[in-house]
Amino acid sequence: MIDISRRALIGTAAAGAGSLVLPRFAIAQGDARPSITVAVQKISNSNTLDVLREQSNVGERVFFSSLWEGLIGRDWLNGLKKVPLLATAWRRIDAQTVELDLRPGVKFHDGSEMTAEDVVFTFSRERMFAETEAKNRSTLKAFEKIPTPKPGKELPVEVPAAARRAWPDLIRVAASGKYTVRFVNATPDVTLEGRLSRYGSDIMSRKGWEESASYLDWARKPITTGPYKVVEFKPDTHLILEAHDEYWGGRPPLKRIRFVEVPEVASRINGLLSGQYQFACDIPPDQIVGIEKNAGFEVQGGTILNHRLTVFDKNHPVLANTLVRRAFTHAIDRQAIVDSLWAGRTVVPKGLQWTYYDDMFVSDWEVPKFDPKLAADLLKQAGYKGEPIPYRLLNNYYTNQVATAQILVEMWKSVGLNVQIETKENWTQIMERSPTRAVRDWSNSAPFNDPVSSIVAQHGPNGQQQQIGEWTNAEANQMAEILETSTDHETRKKAFRRMLEICEREDPAYTVLHQNATFTAKPKSIKWKAAPAFAMDFRAGNFAL
């Protein structure tokens, strides 16, 4: 590789500076395709590239559509509808079974062909479920006995935990030919196709797994089918991807993509404007106008299928009282946060749901109303005496995270809640179970268009809140079971509404703050379209100079 400055004129003089803005691209010797650098706040929270271990917003950005692919995909640039990806077609055999035809000729990054054997292994207990308990005991018994892993190949606990959130009742994945597989569930499930398209159901090479020296070696350089393959991953620093020129979807338009961690917003913006980076991610709304004053740059983005939440641990002695948690929810002026921190570029949604749920969307639902008088009255009824309540926080992992937290603390203080911010370094410290765990930040996505993908996957019996012991509710779990197993639409919709009533009003597990939005800055000379998601699509057809 050699670095060449490509002096492509991308605009008029920089506003107020009188100088031309000239982005620099690295050009591979003997290859006319450019290489780009993308500045991100974080590459991976787990310091791995395992799609099951790294279940995060930052992971979505670097994984899709660059590295990992599933059998059924999402059309990132056209409404996120389901589309054929590594499978060309699928059909229902019955309420518990889906059969898929695999795309022939798909090559992994090592040049080997993807077959049904790789799909079966991807969903095996050795790779995905290990020895963890399934929600349905028949599911656990039906899976093949896991071989004793060689030293270093044991799965981290986060992997089977995420797998069970995605596939609570998967009973068997079997090959019925070289390019045909069947997924069999222990119970009826109308969402099987959605589960196949979701984050975490992505296909890996069995050979790549077996030839790796350890789980960590594999997880930092997984062999997958995406348009780009891993060259080097240096945790907390950078990830370098290189074009996979045997990619089934066409020759990638970039030679290399370099994701670099730049935690400070100002550094990301300055690096973009100087030509050091071609993309700067996670731009706060109040910075957009300043960037676009330079005629050579633009900011793309908007709302995505992700909501920002405040999450409660009902085991905390103060939060054990439902009235206190309800007071939290009514003390928040959500629209003021949207107006002041997001310049009106996002919205307050109708609870933990999205309109793309179609006829499962509960259109007359609302988040708890902003009512300081009601909040204060609830605290009085609860006998709250001003005991301190810890609020665990990361330093701007989310856009505007610290500023949002400071506003929330003041809103809660105005009704009598004594909330104390505790800044933590990482998610392990945020999630750690202790007597001081009480309130924390989170966000929830909807990987496919059904409530099962969010409220059930994140707050139901296999959801993270219950897995880490923050919250549980017997009736909500019954509703989750109905959502996962019923095939009657009206029954499912009633169960979803009841689950919203419990989780957001009666026994709050969380409270939604606002729909999330993500903004990416780039030179106008780069022809690229942002998806309504964290994912950045650099496949053929979505990058040109």
Side-chain angles (χ1 to χ4, degrees):
M1 293 282 291
I2 58 174
D3 289 332
I4 298 176
S5 176
R6 174 176 290 184
R7 304 187 67 82
L9 181 64
I10 65 171
T12 58
S19 60
L20 294 178
V21 180
L22 305 171
R24 297 192 299 272
F25 298 89
I27 306 299
Q29 200 165 15
D31 190 330
R33 291 174 297 179
S35 295
I36 62 169
T37 298
V38 182
V40 299
Q41 184 268 345
K42 187 72 178 173
I43 294 172
S44 167
N45 293 312
S46 65
N47 286 336
T48 75
L49 304 176
D50 182 350
V51 71
L52 280 171
R53 190 173 183 187
E54 185 61 33
Q55 293 270 301
S56 70
N57 302 333
V58 295
E60 180 178 308
R61 175 171 287 125
V62 301
F63 291 166
F64 314 109
S65 301
S66 297
L67 185 62
W68 285 93
E69 295 183 311
L71 299 172
I72 301 175
R74 287 190 282 175
D75 190 337
W76 294 107
L77 302 179
N78 292 288
L80 301 177
K81 60 186 178 183
K82 289 190 284 290
V83 293
L85 205 60
L86 298 181
T88 57
W90 53 91
R91 56 203 157 269
R92 276 282 174 157
I93 304 302
D94 53 41
Q96 298 171 231
T97 310
V98 173
E99 185 175 71
L100 301 98
D101 299 327
L102 303 183
R103 189 179 299 277
V106 172
K107 295 293 183 67
F108 283 113
H109 296 154
D110 62 0
S112 61
E113 186 185 17
M114 182 198 75
T115 68
E117 178 184 355
D118 297 291
V119 176
V120 171
F121 180 76
T122 295
F123 290 87
S124 69
R125 288 184 61 193
E126 180 178 353
R127 150 60 184 155
M128 189 175 276
F129 296 104
E131 293 291 348
T132 58
E133 183 65 84
K135 183 189 71 176
N136 187 313
R137 287 185 175 275
S138 65
T139 304
L140 183 67
K141 293 176 182 177
F143 264 104
E144 78 282 3
K145 179 66 179 175
I146 184 173
T148 301
K150 66 180 183 180
K153 280 291 183 72
E154 300 88 352
L155 293 179
V157 295
E158 299 95 334
V159 172
R164 277 293 166 221
R165 289 198 293 273
W167 293 93
D169 281 324
L170 184 65
I171 195 171
R172 185 169 62 257
V173 180
S176 48
K178 185 177 181 180
Y179 301 115
T180 310
V181 290
R182 281 193 177 188
F183 284 72
V184 183
N185 217 45
T187 58
D189 189 343
V190 299
T191 71
L192 288 176
E193 295 86 349
R195 294 183 188 280
L196 282 163
S197 71
R198 65 153 290 142
Y199 189 87
S201 295
D202 310 273
I203 307 305
M204 56 179 278
S205 163
R206 178 171 190 164
K207 176 171 172 280
W209 171 274
E210 292 176 342
E211 290 182 352
S212 62
S214 68
Y215 166 81
L216 190 60
D217 287 335
W218 171 84
R220 289 185 173 172
K221 199 172 185 178
I223 304 299
T224 62
T225 63
Y228 300 91
K229 55 189 176 183
V230 180
V231 174
E232 181 181 67
F233 176 44
K234 188 173 181 181
D236 302 319
T237 305
H238 65 248
L239 167 65
I240 299 174
L241 304 178
E242 185 175 79
H244 172 38
D245 285 337
E246 292 186 281
Y247 180 55
W248 65 268
R251 192 169 184 252
L254 294 166
K255 178 62 178 175
R256 283 194 172 190
I257 304 172
R258 180 171 173 258
F259 292 96
V260 295
E261 284 196 13
V262 186
E264 302 80 13
V265 172
S267 297
R268 293 199 294 276
I269 294 174
N270 290 337
L272 173 79
L273 298 178
S274 69
Q276 183 180 4
Y277 314 131
Q278 283 69 57
F279 291 84
C281 300
D282 296 315
I283 300 299
D286 64 352
Q287 298 296 314
I288 293 175
V289 172
I291 292 171
E292 292 188 336
K293 282 182 179 178
N294 187 316
F297 291 87
E298 66 179 356
V299 179
Q300 291 192 16
T303 56
I304 59 176
L305 295 173
N306 180 274
H307 291 341
R308 283 275 286 107
L309 315 177
T310 295
V311 183
F312 307 114
D313 186 339
K314 66 187 290 185
N315 299 295
H316 187 274
V318 176
L319 297 184
N321 191 318
T322 303
L323 298 176
V324 174
R325 279 178 279 132
R326 287 178 57 199
F328 268 89
T329 72
H330 289 292
I332 301 170
D333 186 344
R334 295 164 178 81
Q335 192 59 48
I337 293 173
V338 167
D339 293 340
S340 63
L341 295 183
W342 291 87
R345 292 177 184 259
T346 188
V347 297
V348 178
K350 293 177 177 289
L352 191 54
Q353 57 171 344
W354 291 262
T355 55
Y356 101 133
Y357 284 178
D358 298 327
D359 54 2
M360 282 296 288
F361 182 71
V362 183
S363 59
D364 63 341
W365 187 254
E366 300 290 345
V367 294
K369 64 180 180 180
F370 173 50
D371 190 335
K373 184 176 181 301
L374 174 59
D377 185 57
L378 288 168
L379 292 177
K380 184 177 179 180
Q381 293 178 47
Y384 175 67
K385 304 298 184 185
E387 299 92 334
I389 302 171
Y391 177 10
R392 293 181 180 177
L393 191 71
L394 292 173
N395 185 17
N396 285 325
Y397 171 82
Y398 298 113
T399 300
N400 285 328
Q401 185 176 11
V402 173
T404 301
Q406 292 168 341
I407 290 175
L408 287 173
V409 167
E410 290 303 311
M411 289 177 177
W412 290 326
K413 181 180 178 181
S414 70
V415 302
L417 285 161
N418 179 15
V419 181
Q420 306 291 322
I421 289 177
E422 294 183 355
T423 303
K424 302 296 183 181
E425 294 180 359
N426 53 53
W427 278 106
T428 299
Q429 294 176 6
I430 293 286
M431 300 295 191
E432 182 183 15
R433 190 167 189 170
S434 72
T436 63
R437 191 175 69 181
V439 179
R440 66 175 172 93
D441 282 348
W442 203 21
S443 71
N444 282 179
S445 295
F448 57 93
N449 63 336
D450 189 274
V452 161
S453 74
S454 187
I455 195 169
V456 174
Q458 289 144 345
H459 305 279
N462 287 291
Q464 188 181 72
Q465 268 210 290
Q466 298 201 44
Q467 285 180 338
I468 67 173
E470 271 186 332
W471 179 91
T472 190
N473 181 286
E475 186 184 357
N477 288 349
Q478 292 172 359
M479 297 303 103
E481 182 79 13
I482 291 170
L483 276 166
E484 289 183 323
T485 61
S486 175
T487 58
D488 181 79
H489 173 74
E490 289 306 314
T491 299
R492 296 185 76 245
K493 190 164 185 178
K494 288 179 182 177
F496 176 39
R497 185 185 190 94
R498 181 62 188 138
M499 200 168 178
L500 284 171
E501 290 171 349
I502 295 167
C503 295
E504 298 191 2
R505 293 184 182 170
E506 295 177 10
D507 184 20
Y510 61 86
T511 194
V512 173
L513 299 177
H514 57 78
Q515 187 164 357
N516 215 344
T518 185
F519 300 98
T520 302
K522 69 174 187 65
K524 287 182 179 178
S525 63
I526 296 177
K527 305 306 178 186
W528 177 85
K529 183 179 178 182
F534 287 106
M536 300 183 75
D537 189 352
F538 291 115
R539 290 174 296 178
N542 198 41
F543 187 95
L545 295 174

